[in-house]
């Protein structure tokens, strides 16, 4: 009898962790092989410091799950503020996986449309399906990449002379190749 009770308890524990996949939303399925990319692809602290040109630490991280996307956000902040204005220097990393590539394409297009009149924009080739770089060479630098159903954003706010655009592109390309 004790064995039967123990077997029933174990089977109920094992089954309680299982939820039936929802066919209309692949983000809610038990197959995490694709969505785990959202949580495994990210710049390393060493890469962030090469981009920013100085020591930084992880100061914020978030996860957001909605009906049509899953998003991971990280913010790294330099240990020293920008000298002239004493403003913090941040690198923001946001990777979003949508339920389909059309939603990712629409999000990418919306970002480009909202910034179409601003100077300092160029498209990038060899990174994802679509890639775009935008900077005012003083306050911010951002790369946005769409690859399939994923959208990657890497943004530096308050650029300094130590900032490396080439490292930003290199790290973005590495992360995109992982997607």
């Amino acid at each position: 009898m004790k064995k039967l009770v123990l077997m029933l308890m174990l089977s109920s524990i094992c089954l309680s962790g299982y939820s039936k996949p929802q066919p209309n939303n692949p983000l809610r399925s038990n197959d995490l092989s694709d969505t785990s990319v959202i949580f495994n692809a990210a710049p390393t602290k060493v890469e962030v410091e090469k981009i920013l040109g100085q020591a930084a630490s992880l100061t914020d991280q978030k996860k957001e799950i909605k009906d049509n996307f899953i998003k991971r956000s990280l913010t790294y902040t330099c240990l020293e503020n920008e000298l002239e204005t004493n403003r913090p220097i941040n690198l923001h990393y946001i990777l979003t996986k949508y339920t389909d590539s059309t939603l990712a394409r629409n999000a990418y297009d919306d970002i480009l449309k909202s910034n179409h009149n601003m100077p300092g924009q160029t498209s990038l080739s060899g990174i994802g399906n679509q890639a775009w770089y935008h900077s005012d060479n003083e306050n911010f630098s951002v790369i946005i990449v769409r690859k399939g159903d994923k959208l990657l954003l890497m943004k530096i706010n308050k650029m300094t002379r130590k900032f490396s655009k080439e490292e930003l592109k290199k790290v973005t390309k590495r992360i995109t190749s992982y997607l």
Side-chain angles (χ1 to χ4, degrees):
M1 181 70 167
K2 287 182 184 179
K3 285 184 181 179
L4 179 60
V5 171
L6 182 61
M7 285 176 38
L8 288 173
M9 286 175 46
L10 286 174
S11 64
S12 67
I13 290 170
C14 291
L15 290 175
S16 67
Y18 176 80
S19 62
K20 185 177 178 184
Q22 297 175 5
N24 293 335
N25 191 342
L27 298 175
R28 304 252 191 263
S29 75
N30 284 329
D31 178 17
L32 297 180
S33 62
D34 198 17
T35 58
S36 67
V37 166
I38 298 300
F39 300 105
N40 294 330
T44 66
K45 184 178 186 295
V46 170
E47 289 173 325
V48 168
E49 291 176 342
K50 284 182 180 179
I51 293 167
L52 296 172
Q54 56 189 312
S57 64
L58 181 64
T59 55
D60 192 28
Q61 57 184 321
K62 295 176 184 163
K63 174 178 77 170
E64 183 179 359
I65 300 173
K66 299 276 185 172
D67 286 339
N68 60 351
F69 69 83
I70 184 169
K71 181 190 299 186
R72 181 180 190 202
S73 305
L74 303 174
T75 300
Y76 284 87
T77 303
C78 288
L79 300 182
E80 296 180 18
N81 286 351
E82 196 274 325
L83 291 176
E84 293 176 17
T85 62
N86 199 32
R87 286 182 49 202
I89 303 161
N90 296 306
L91 181 141
H92 302 283
Y93 162 88
I94 302 169
L95 181 59
T96 308
K97 181 190 184 307
Y98 292 89
T99 52
D100 65 55
S101 60
T102 301
L103 293 171
R105 189 178 313 111
N106 290 343
Y108 179 88
D109 291 343
D110 287 347
I111 293 168
L112 266 61
K113 283 178 192 171
S114 68
N115 291 290
H116 77 280
N117 288 332
M118 300 178 80
Q121 300 182 56
T122 57
S123 62
L124 301 173
S125 60
I127 305 176
N129 300 113
Q130 297 172 287
W132 169 78
Y133 177 78
H134 186 194
S135 178
D136 70 354
N137 295 316
E138 182 181 334
N139 296 300
F140 73 93
S141 183
V142 63
I143 291 182
I144 299 174
V145 178
R146 183 189 67 83
K147 183 174 179 184
D149 60 357
K150 295 167 198 73
L151 191 65
L152 170 64
L153 180 137
M154 297 264 290
K155 180 181 181 185
I156 288 75
N157 76 321
K158 199 52 196 162
M159 293 172 52
T160 68
R161 286 176 276 179
K162 298 176 183 179
F163 163 74
S164 172
K165 178 180 174 180
E166 291 310 310
E167 284 295 324
L168 177 62
K169 286 181 180 180
K170 179 180 167 184
V171 172
T172 302
K173 193 170 191 173
R174 182 200 58 82
I175 292 169
T176 304
S177 70
Y178 182 72
L179 304 176

